[in-house]
Amino acid sequence: MFYNSAMNPLINPIFLHGCVASIQFLFLIVLFITWVWKRFKLDQTLVPKQSSGCLFYKQTLFCSLVLSLFNLVLCFLNNFYWYRNGWTDEKIVTLLNAVLGALVWLFVSVYLHTLVSNSSTGPRKYPSVIRLWWVFFFTVSCYSLVVDYVYYKKTQDLVSMLFVSDSVSSFMGLFLCFVGLSYKTEEESQRNNLEEPLLSSGVSRGGVASTYENASFYSLLTFSWMNSVIAKGNKKTLDLEDVPQLAKIDSVKEVYPVLLNKVESLSNGGNQITAFGLTKALLYIVWKDVAITGLLALVTSLTSFVGPYLIEAFVQYLDGQRDYKHQGFVLVAAFLVSKVIGCFTQRHWYFKLQQAGIRARSAIVAMIYQKGLTISGQSKQGNSSGEIINFMAVDAERIGDYAWYMHDFWIVLVQVGVALWLLYRNLGLAFIASLIATILVLLANIPLGNIQEKLQDDLMKSKDKRMKSTSEILRNMRILKLQGWEMKFLSKVTKLRDEEQGALKKYMYTLSMTSFIFWGAPIVVAVATFATCLFAGIPLESGKVLSALATFKILQEPIYNLPDSISVFFQTKVSLDRIATYLRLNDIDSSAVSKVSRGSSETAVEIINGNFSWDSNASSNPTLKDINIRVNHGMRVAVCGTVGSGKSSLLSCILGEVSKVSGSVKVEGSKAYVAQSAWIQSGKIEDNILFGREMDRERYEKVLEACSLKKDLEILSFGDQTVIGERGINLSGGQKQRIQIARALYQDADIYLFDDPFSAVDAHTGSHLFKECMLQFLDSKTVIYITHQVEFLPAADLILMEGSHKPESTTTFSMLEAILWTLWVHIKKHYQPLIPWGQPFKNKRVVVPRRNTNDDQNGKSDDSSGSKAQLVQEEEREKGRVGFSVYWKYVTTAYGGALAPIILLVVILFQVLQIGSNYWMAWASPVSASDPAPVTSSTLIIVYVALSAGCALCVLARGLLIATMAYKAATILFHQMHLAIFRSPMSFFDSTPSGRILNRASTDQSAVDLQIPYQVASFVFAIIQLLGIIAVMSQCAWQVIIIFIPVAGMCVWLQQYYLPSAREMSRLVGVCKGPVIQNFAETISGSTTIRSFDQQARFQDTNLKLNDDFSRPKFHAAAAMEWLGIRLDMLSSFTFAVFLIFLVSIPEGTIDASIAGLAATYGLTLNNLQGWAVWTLTNLENKIISVERIFQYSSIPSEPPLIIESNRPDDQWPSQGEVDIRHLQVRYAPHMPLVLRGLTCTFTGGKKTGIVGRTGSGKSTLIQTLFRLVEPAAGQILIDGINISTIGLHDLRSRLSIIPQDPTMFEGNYPKQLGSP
């Protein structure tokens, strides 16, 4: 009989299960009554069915069904067993408990399904009676498990059925208890999401309030504040508005001013900030996080040594040497507590580091952007937009990523110190050998660090050159395609990439050698230590050996990571130097122009004895000399002169863009500026005109009328809501210029500066604009305008013109009234008509092309073939799981995947040799000094050295093979993507902002170069190591598989539950980075216009918002990773604890104590390794998105072939030059309306043909179609009888020549500008 009357009933398992059976019966009755009542209420209200919103509903229902089935199986087993062996009262109680358990959990399953499936509101709350039952069930199951063990210790009679039942119940109850207690946090987060936008004005429209900022202590501790985001990601594809806002302390709007003030204080208000000073300023904004993470890192490191410290005592306990009662359970508790503490501290350490890194990155990006708004023209010449984009995309990112490595250097010293103390405690003076070997390894970092710093510097310089060239090419892609030069410039980019690849190849192979040295370092330390023990006569007992091996294994990670830490340190140092150098560049002199508010005097603009120079270092040779001008309010001032005489420089002096050598400049009132080359932002036409001001509909309509924009807006499908492509790509030159004039007019400024804006429009439109804008709309304003059109001069109150032109390019302006005769000569010289006015247009033909009759009188088309859509669309991103095809294509890119199986074989061999070396040391060492040694000491060391040497060679082979494969794959992917981009049609560049392309060429390519191959290798290595640990533990106690399988299933499920949210947030990070780069590129090109309107603050605010939008998914992706990690660590710790309990519970002598100790030693790393395996898989899927994005751009539809061998024109084509256009229809994109509709005309060869028409009528479109930048939707163009659509693009474009509407200059000297590439 199981029951002993003398035993306390509270520690008798049979009595306890009898009580539980009674409680289950009562609960069954209560649950039935509750269900009937709920069912009655639902039937009365006739609520429609909807899907569940309960937390972990499917998993909870599955657990309930499993428990019901499990109790049913126990019931049948007990029934058959006891039917053969007789019945007792105790057996009947146990059977009854199983029967009631099966019924209760089945009814719970039915109750949940019925209740949830009939809920109209999608309840997030489980009924209180259910949640109370889960808590009670878990508590009783754990208590019963303890009672089972105590009963076993007292009677030496293990009740196996009850023990198995209570073990499974405890595990299932843990999950159900977690679900029941997690509801409060979920409900609070939902309530916060609803209430916070009403309480806080800081939450943007459509956004979700910060769940981190309002989380409770428990929620912060367990990262439960991420529950709502992860749950939402499982139900739908996450968009940016689904990601909560950043907490106030993490927003760049709060961090940037602090950093800016600190930088200014360290540089004494000047531009002399150093890399060290910038580092101090960055540390100032994150010092609290640095201090907290330092403490967490220290605790994590110390707890990691608890296992090695206790492993010797554990082995001795298993060998029968027990110091006190229940020593085994005390050891298990110590192991478990240290694991749990280490888990929480490590996860919060990692999260806080990433939080600090995100904060630092955002702040430094804001500083780089602000510098771009204030940098002088001279300084800008030495830094292209591509280089500055690299500062933001690569260098700032690297500074943020360095947070991961911030504590590595001093933590290594702590870990080495503790490790040496443990070795001294176990091995005595042999620790000196460990110390010497460790010091040698650490000293080896110095030359390796110097080499890596140099290689990293070379790599970044070559990357800068490539990005600078790529940025220039993307800006000028239209002229390259018009001239047929795109493949020549592709070869230029390829050549620059070859230089970069040379540095990359050296860097990767150096990294492989470094990895070999440092993977072999712990082996060297171990061999040196054990060899010293051999020669010094120090006995090697299995417990001490296992403790030493566990110590070396812990020490391996910081020593292995140390070269990475040093490499990243020097990379970050290089990035800090580069950014500090950029921040030290000269700004525009804000004191050059004295700005006065309107009303203090009658003078609007005054320059007295002004000397100005674009080159501040050439003050002895100024660009403009001895300027004296005074313009009163309300005057119209015309500036005229020859090309290069300094007219635009004069306006730049008034704006403060040119360095002032001497003299004074005063400007009274607000300014508006219209540049000679139109600067248009990507975005709606309305936003370009408003330019940050509130909408005044009456004034807005007047501005549109004055600038002749109403008819243009009527033609556009979306009117003023039409989204303009990058640099106004979908507008004509005249339309861009008129929008720019409208922007200035709408500002209602006091002073208007026009830099010859009418040169980009036809004569009729220019006269209309001058009359409506200058003479009427700005009648009471001060206007200074540059013009070459003499007919605009009579309207001026004051005319300034060139007085002298010195050989040194120094120009002097004088008042025109003083030299009227010079003006007359100038007008007479330059205002001669090309055709005598009295001569009629003899022999001139005026051709009006025929158009299809389906056009209405307003020029609008009934184009029904194409649906309305904006030219510029939101950036496309893949959704859902990253397909296996992406991984397969990447792995097989290099050498057809031939190296992959070899790498896998080398990694497996390494793991086998490593386990073999440790197994050898555990088996060949005696458990205690009194036991005989299985082998001699020399044999012990020789075999261990041989196995360790094999491990080191495998590491070397793995590193070299991975570097070879990674280098080849990166090279192929780069060439595939760039070939696809350069061969893509012009419509791709019209609809794709260059920031998206540069993001792939910079950030994504860097990930492919240096991160993804090692992420793939880390995942494979983690899985193989995990399988090795399972094999070792299973050999010692195969029963651990019973626990490991459900735990592994739970880990996989958690990973699958987490992955959709993490994947989409990683994609959002990539998508949100493009607008940051795009906005910066536009700001750099339009900085003069932005400053002239005093809009720097608004543009910086826009940049801060875009930065926060980028940081939001990045921050929450980091938190989601730790949410997963902390749960995986808890499950692994639970598995390890069960394994240890099993080891201390089995009878003494059942297993070899040395092998059991080895299994426990490997089990110490189980939680880290299991978490690492899932973490690397998740991180790999996040990083592989870069490959996915490159593949996306590698499959862009290409233009027609450059050369069609079967249809090449002869060498003399075109000999006549006759152009015959037949029924031509053109649209810019399949979803866009027709621009040209059935055009038919003939241009006679050898004649000069003028094409006239109002702005936006399609003149430039016709030219683009002639060069096949835009393919005809219908119709054809014949040149000398050859249909241009049937020949190769290079054959066509190389035979034609064009002077484009927008001037284009490439970096280089004058001969380079005059010649082809």
Side-chain angles (χ1 to χ4, degrees):
M1 292 180 61
F2 293 117
Y3 180 69
N4 182 355
S5 59
M7 182 180 290
N8 187 343
L10 294 178
I11 59 173
N12 186 285
I14 305 304
F15 176 80
L16 183 62
H17 284 79
C19 294
V20 172
S22 302
I23 296 173
Q24 284 180 329
F25 180 71
L26 293 175
F27 173 72
L28 192 61
I29 296 174
V30 172
L31 193 62
F32 179 76
I33 295 173
T34 305
W35 177 78
V36 171
W37 174 250
K38 293 279 187 183
R39 186 73 178 176
F40 177 77
K41 287 184 66 178
L42 289 171
D43 289 341
Q44 291 294 321
T45 55
L46 299 176
V47 176
K49 293 185 179 182
Q50 289 192 6
S51 61
S52 165
C54 286
L55 181 65
F56 300 145
Y57 165 69
K58 293 181 180 180
Q59 293 74 26
T60 303
L61 186 62
F62 175 75
C63 283
S64 300
L65 290 172
V66 167
L67 284 170
S68 177
L69 181 63
F70 179 74
N71 279 281
L72 187 63
V73 170
L74 283 182
C75 176
F76 279 108
L77 289 177
N78 289 336
N79 182 53
F80 290 134
Y81 176 76
W82 285 325
Y83 178 80
R84 294 166 52 192
N85 295 278
W87 293 88
T88 64
D89 294 339
E90 291 78 8
K91 295 174 182 178
I92 293 174
V93 169
T94 305
L95 184 64
L96 181 62
N97 181 51
V99 172
L100 288 173
L103 290 175
V104 164
W105 287 110
L106 178 63
F107 201 83
V108 166
S109 303
V110 175
Y111 178 78
L112 287 176
H113 176 72
T114 305
L115 179 66
V116 172
S117 63
N118 286 284
S119 173
S120 62
T121 58
R124 305 195 69 83
K125 179 178 181 180
Y126 291 102
S128 299
V129 63
I130 293 291
R131 290 188 287 128
L132 288 173
W133 169 249
W134 286 340
V135 175
F136 170 78
F137 174 74
F138 174 65
T139 305
V140 171
S141 298
C142 292
Y143 179 71
S144 299
L145 193 61
V146 175
V147 168
D148 291 339
Y149 174 76
V150 173
Y151 181 82
Y152 159 72
K153 297 297 287 184
K154 285 183 175 292
T155 64
Q156 297 298 315
D157 185 11
L158 183 63
V159 188
S160 58
M161 286 290 185
L162 296 181
F163 184 79
V164 172
S165 173
D166 292 334
S167 298
V168 173
S169 298
S170 298
F171 177 73
M172 293 293 187
L174 175 64
F175 172 73
L176 294 173
C177 190
F178 164 74
V179 173
L181 295 178
S182 294
Y183 164 69
K184 184 176 179 181
T185 301
E186 185 76 13
E187 183 182 38
E188 286 177 350
S189 65
Q190 292 296 317
R191 185 166 63 249
N192 288 336
N193 292 346
L194 293 174
E195 294 177 358
E196 185 65 19
L198 301 176
L199 300 175
S200 173
S201 60
V203 179
S204 63
R205 195 174 189 180
V208 181
S210 172
T211 53
Y212 172 74
E213 196 168 28
N214 304 296
S216 63
F217 173 77
Y218 168 78
S219 183
L220 290 173
L221 183 67
T222 60
F223 293 94
S224 298
W225 53 274
M226 282 296 300
N227 286 350
S228 59
V229 180
I230 296 174
K232 186 178 291 185
N234 268 272
K235 296 175 184 176
K236 64 183 289 284
T237 301
L238 287 180
D239 295 314
L240 185 61
E241 57 267 20
D242 299 319
V243 180
Q245 298 290 328
L246 293 172
K248 188 176 180 181
I249 59 172
D250 295 315
S251 174
V252 67
K253 295 179 181 178
E254 298 292 327
V255 178
Y256 166 64
V258 179
L259 178 66
L260 184 62
N261 292 334
K262 192 64 177 177
V263 167
E264 289 177 350
S265 65
L266 290 173
S267 58
N268 297 321
N271 288 336
Q272 302 306 312
I273 186 66
T274 63
F276 180 70
L278 184 59
T279 304
K280 287 174 62 177
L282 288 170
L283 286 174
Y284 180 76
I285 64 174
V286 296
W287 70 269
K288 291 183 180 178
D289 295 303
V290 172
I292 293 172
T293 53
L295 179 61
L296 294 173
L298 179 62
V299 174
T300 302
S301 299
L302 294 178
T303 55
S304 68
F305 284 100
V306 172
Y309 177 79
L310 296 176
I311 196 69
E312 182 185 4
F314 189 74
V315 171
Q316 298 297 332
Y317 174 84
L318 294 179
D319 194 44
Q321 303 176 28
R322 303 177 181 184
D323 298 331
Y324 52 88
K325 190 178 181 181
H326 303 307
Q327 181 188 3
F329 286 99
V330 172
L331 291 172
V332 171
F335 277 121
L336 183 60
V337 169
S338 66
K339 282 290 179 187
V340 171
I341 293 176
C343 158
F344 280 101
T345 55
Q346 185 183 52
R347 291 303 157 194
H348 285 277
W349 170 23
Y350 289 168
F351 172 68
K352 297 295 287 184
L353 283 179
Q354 293 178 84
Q355 185 181 22
I358 291 171
R359 199 179 301 163
R361 188 210 67 85
S362 298
I364 201 70
V365 166
M367 281 207 69
I368 295 171
Y369 183 88
Q370 181 64 33
K371 186 67 178 182
L373 285 172
T374 61
I375 190 173
S376 66
Q378 179 188 357
S379 299
K380 192 187 296 185
Q381 292 176 0
N383 293 271
S384 69
S385 60
E387 290 176 310
I388 301 174
I389 286 170
N390 254 5
F391 293 150
M392 300 182 70
V394 178
D395 293 297
E397 195 76 30
R398 184 168 292 146
I399 291 172
D401 291 342
Y402 182 70
W404 274 104
Y405 306 88
M406 187 179 300
H407 299 295
D408 281 10
F409 295 103
W410 69 267
I411 281 294
V412 167
L413 297 178
V414 172
Q415 290 174 321
V416 169
V418 176
L420 292 175
W421 174 78
L422 276 176
L423 291 174
Y424 173 73
R425 176 179 173 270
N426 290 320
L427 303 176
L429 293 178
F431 91 97
I432 296 176
S434 304
L435 176 61
I436 295 173
T438 304
I439 291 174
L440 291 175
V441 169
L442 294 177
L443 288 177
N445 283 288
I446 298 175
L448 286 171
N450 292 333
I451 294 172
Q452 287 190 333
E453 180 185 15
K454 182 181 182 302
L455 291 174
Q456 180 64 29
D457 192 33
D458 293 342
L459 182 61
M460 289 307 301
K461 286 179 179 178
S462 57
K463 188 186 293 290
D464 281 346
K465 290 170 62 178
R466 175 176 63 85
M467 288 303 300
K468 182 178 181 180
S469 179
T470 303
S471 177
E472 180 185 54
I473 290 171
L474 292 177
R475 286 198 309 271
N476 303 307
M477 184 58 76
R478 183 175 298 275
I479 185 62
L480 297 185
K481 285 191 174 290
L482 286 170
Q483 301 288 358
W485 292 344
E486 67 267 34
M487 300 312 294
K488 295 180 180 178
F489 275 80
L490 174 59
S491 64
K492 176 184 176 182
V493 173
T494 303
K495 184 178 180 181
L496 292 174
R497 173 65 181 180
D498 290 340
E499 295 179 11
E500 182 183 354
Q501 284 174 345
L504 177 65
K505 190 173 186 179
K506 293 177 183 177
Y507 182 81
M508 295 182 75
Y509 281 111
T510 303
L511 194 62
S512 300
M513 295 303 297
T514 306
S515 298
F516 163 67
I517 293 172
F518 285 94
W519 264 102
I523 299 174
V524 171
V525 173
V527 169
T529 304
F530 293 145
T532 303
C533 291
L534 173 64
F535 292 119
I538 300 174
L540 289 176
E541 301 171 6
S542 59
K544 294 180 179 180
V545 168
L546 290 174
S547 178
L549 288 175
T551 303
F552 295 144
K553 199 169 188 63
I554 293 176
L555 199 57
Q556 179 180 5
E557 183 178 356
I559 292 180
Y560 172 66
N561 290 333
L562 195 58
D564 287 339
S565 302
I566 293 175
S567 173
V568 172
F569 171 79
F570 285 111
Q571 291 175 23
T572 307
K573 180 178 179 296
V574 170
S575 295
L576 284 167
D577 288 335
R578 284 157 47 85
I579 292 176
T581 301
Y582 173 69
L583 294 178
R584 285 197 300 269
L585 294 176
N586 292 329
D587 290 337
I588 287 178
D589 186 4
S590 58
S591 63
V593 177
S594 176
K595 298 178 181 179
V596 184
S597 59
R598 176 70 187 273
S600 58
S601 69
E602 291 297 321
T603 303
V605 177
E606 184 176 26
I607 303 177
I608 301 174
N609 299 324
N611 291 281
F612 305 91
S613 176
W614 284 106
D615 186 356
S616 59
N617 297 322
S619 57
S620 60
N621 187 24
T623 306
L624 296 175
K625 185 171 65 175
D626 298 333
I627 303 301
N628 289 277
I629 298 174
R630 180 175 180 179
V631 179
N632 293 330
H633 287 291
M635 290 181 65
R636 280 193 293 271
V637 179
V639 182
C640 57
T642 59
V643 174
S645 59
K647 302 182 298 297
S648 297
S649 296
L650 177 64
L651 295 190
S652 297
C653 295
I654 298 173
L655 294 172
E657 297 291 322
V658 186
S659 299
K660 184 179 68 175
V661 180
S662 62
S664 64
V665 181
K666 185 180 78 170
V667 176
E668 184 176 310
S670 58
K671 309 180 299 297
Y673 170 65
V674 179
Q676 189 171 20
S677 297
W679 175 73
I680 302 294
Q681 277 187 279
S682 299
K684 297 177 183 177
I685 293 176
E686 179 188 280
D687 295 336
N688 270 275
I689 296 175
L690 297 182
F691 208 56
R693 294 180 69 91
E694 295 293 330
M695 168 62 79
D696 181 343
R697 180 56 62 179
E698 182 180 356
R699 182 176 181 82
Y700 183 76
E701 294 296 331
K702 289 181 180 179
V703 168
L704 294 181
E705 185 67 36
C707 296
S708 303
L709 282 170
K710 285 199 169 183
K711 191 170 184 181
D712 296 274
L713 297 182
E714 290 173 0
I715 295 173
L716 296 173
S717 302
F718 293 88
D720 62 357
Q721 299 302 305
T722 299
V723 175
I724 302 174
E726 188 176 15
R727 302 184 305 278
I729 203 71
N730 51 336
L731 299 176
S732 69
Q735 287 172 329
K736 288 188 284 188
Q737 196 64 273
R738 282 182 286 132
I739 289 174
Q740 188 177 223
I741 295 172
R743 176 172 61 208
L745 265 55
Y746 190 80
Q747 298 303 304
D748 193 23
D750 298 316
I751 303 168
Y752 285 83
L753 306 175
F754 291 87
D755 191 354
D756 198 15
F758 308 120
S759 61
V761 297
D762 55 78
H764 173 74
T765 303
S767 299
H768 175 80
L769 289 174
F770 186 82
K771 178 182 177 182
E772 294 294 326
C773 298
M774 297 286 197
L775 303 183
Q776 295 183 17
F777 201 94
L778 301 177
D779 181 48
S780 60
K781 302 292 185 179
T782 304
V783 181
I784 302 176
Y785 62 96
I786 295 173
T787 184
H788 288 282
Q789 293 161 284
V790 183
E791 63 267 29
F792 295 158
L793 294 179
D797 300 315
L798 180 66
I799 302 175
L800 304 176
M801 66 168 294
E802 176 187 359
S804 64
H805 192 82
K806 297 185 178 181
E808 297 85 3
S809 298
T810 301
T811 304
T812 302
F813 283 87
S814 60
M815 298 298 179
L816 187 64
E817 292 85 348
I819 47 171
L820 289 176
W821 178 253
T822 306
L823 172 63
W824 168 249
V825 173
H826 178 80
I827 293 175
K828 191 173 182 180
K829 178 180 178 181
H830 292 281
Y831 196 56
Q832 292 294 329
L834 296 176
I835 301 173
W837 291 111
Q839 181 179 343
F841 285 91
K842 295 180 180 179
N843 301 322
K844 303 290 187 293
R845 289 198 307 151
V846 178
V847 179
V848 179
R850 295 193 304 275
R851 309 172 78 103
N852 287 347
T853 57
N854 64 349
D855 297 353
D856 61 23
Q857 293 181 356
N858 291 328
K860 297 180 184 178
S861 170
D862 286 336
D863 179 30
S864 58
S865 61
S867 58
K868 287 186 176 182
Q870 299 282 15
L871 175 65
V872 181
Q873 304 290 326
E874 289 291 327
E875 182 171 2
E876 179 183 349
R877 65 182 173 105
E878 302 290 341
K879 295 185 177 182
R881 176 185 292 275
V882 177
F884 177 75
S885 60
V886 176
Y887 294 92
W888 181 254
K889 284 175 66 178
Y890 175 71
V891 171
T892 57
T893 297
Y895 307 106
L899 294 182
I902 301 176
I903 295 173
L904 183 63
L905 181 63
V906 169
V907 171
I908 293 174
L909 183 60
F910 166 80
Q911 186 63 23
V912 170
L913 290 174
Q914 187 184 55
I915 292 175
S917 63
N918 293 336
Y919 190 91
W920 168 259
M921 290 300 294
W923 176 82
S925 301
V927 177
S928 62
S930 59
D931 295 335
V935 296
T936 62
S937 299
S938 58
T939 304
L940 175 70
I941 297 300
I942 291 172
V943 173
Y944 181 72
V945 169
L947 294 173
S948 299
C951 290
L953 292 176
C954 288
V955 171
L956 176 61
R958 184 192 69 172
L960 294 176
L961 289 171
I962 291 174
T964 303
M965 182 177 175
Y967 171 77
K968 186 67 174 178
T971 302
I972 293 174
L973 291 178
F974 176 88
H975 290 301
Q976 287 179 348
M977 180 178 71
H978 280 71
L979 178 61
I981 290 173
F982 276 70
R983 289 286 295 118
S984 61
M986 197 62 216
S987 58
F988 169 75
F989 300 96
D990 291 344
S991 59
T992 306
S994 62
R996 297 181 188 174
I997 305 174
L998 291 173
N999 196 12
R1000 283 166 171 81
S1002 176
T1003 306
D1004 291 324
Q1005 187 63 47
S1006 293
V1008 171
D1009 288 344
L1010 295 172
Q1011 296 179 8
I1012 292 175
Y1014 297 101
Q1015 289 289 340
V1016 174
S1018 294
F1019 171 67
V1020 173
F1021 193 37
I1023 292 297
I1024 292 175
Q1025 278 194 305
L1026 186 60
L1027 293 175
I1029 288 180
I1030 295 171
V1032 172
M1033 295 176 69
S1034 300
Q1035 183 193 11
C1036 176
W1038 63 266
Q1039 293 85 349
V1040 75
I1041 297 179
I1042 299 174
I1043 298 297
F1044 186 81
I1045 290 176
V1047 170
M1050 183 67 72
C1051 289
V1052 172
W1053 174 82
L1054 277 171
Q1055 190 259 353
Q1056 294 300 316
Y1057 181 75
Y1058 148 86
L1059 199 54
S1061 304
R1063 182 193 307 123
E1064 296 308 322
M1065 282 191 284
S1066 293
R1067 285 174 172 152
L1068 285 173
V1069 169
V1071 169
C1072 291
K1073 192 168 188 177
V1076 176
I1077 297 175
Q1078 175 66 23
N1079 178 62
F1080 186 74
E1082 286 187 345
T1083 301
I1084 290 295
S1085 61
S1087 57
T1088 300
T1089 301
I1090 294 170
R1091 287 191 291 264
S1092 67
F1093 286 91
D1094 295 324
Q1095 292 278 342
Q1096 298 97 312
R1098 182 174 71 86
F1099 274 78
Q1100 179 64 283
D1101 286 342
T1102 301
N1103 173 65
L1104 297 181
K1105 181 184 180 302
L1106 291 173
N1107 262 300
D1108 274 349
D1109 287 345
F1110 171 73
S1111 298
R1112 279 163 57 196
K1114 194 176 183 71
F1115 172 84
H1116 287 89
M1121 188 169 291
E1122 303 312 323
W1123 177 94
L1124 174 67
I1126 207 166
R1127 283 152 180 78
L1128 294 178
D1129 286 349
M1130 289 294 101
L1131 289 172
S1132 299
S1133 299
F1134 171 76
T1135 304
F1136 184 55
V1138 171
F1139 173 70
L1140 293 181
I1141 290 173
F1142 179 83
L1143 290 182
V1144 300
S1145 300
I1146 59 177
E1148 181 182 335
T1150 304
I1151 59 173
D1152 188 337
S1154 298
I1155 304 303
L1158 177 65
T1161 302
Y1162 271 94
L1164 288 173
T1165 61
L1166 179 63
N1167 64 328
N1168 289 332
L1169 194 55
Q1170 190 171 349
W1172 183 37
V1174 178
W1175 184 86
T1176 49
L1177 174 60
T1178 305
N1179 203 34
L1180 173 60
E1181 184 148 357
N1182 293 342
K1183 293 293 185 183
I1184 204 70
I1185 292 171
S1186 292
V1187 175
E1188 182 184 53
R1189 284 160 58 84
I1190 289 178
F1191 283 151
Q1192 188 183 60
Y1193 270 32
S1194 298
S1195 58
I1196 302 169
S1198 177
E1199 282 186 311
L1202 294 174
I1203 295 175
I1204 300 176
E1205 293 293 344
S1206 61
N1207 194 22
R1208 299 199 67 176
D1210 58 54
D1211 295 338
Q1212 302 302 319
W1213 181 88
S1215 58
Q1216 302 298 322
E1218 182 176 277
V1219 180
D1220 187 14
I1221 301 175
R1222 301 176 182 177
H1223 310 293
L1224 183 64
Q1225 295 183 11
V1226 177
R1227 56 163 52 95
Y1228 279 103
H1231 58 268
M1232 300 292 290
L1234 288 173
V1235 180
L1236 297 179
R1237 314 174 189 90
L1239 183 65
T1240 300
C1241 63
T1242 300
F1243 301 146
T1244 306
K1247 302 294 184 181
K1248 298 179 178 65
T1249 303
I1251 302 176
V1252 297
R1254 71 180 308 280
T1255 302
S1257 60
K1259 303 184 296 296
S1260 297
T1261 302
L1262 179 60
I1263 300 299
Q1264 292 184 60
T1265 310
L1266 191 63
F1267 281 80
R1268 291 178 64 189
L1269 289 189
V1270 182
E1271 293 289 337
Q1276 57 183 353
I1277 300 177
L1278 282 74
I1279 299 180
D1280 285 357
I1282 295 180
N1283 186 348
I1284 64 173
S1285 296
T1286 63
I1287 62 176
L1289 290 180
H1290 186 267
D1291 286 336
L1292 171 66
R1293 294 169 182 172
S1294 62
R1295 309 296 178 88
L1296 306 180
S1297 185
I1298 185 173
I1299 300 175
Q1301 188 174 22
D1302 296 324
T1304 300
M1305 298 290 285
F1306 294 96
E1307 183 185 6
N1309 51 27
Y1310 283 120
K1312 182 177 179 181
Q1313 310 300 327
L1314 298 176
S1316 62

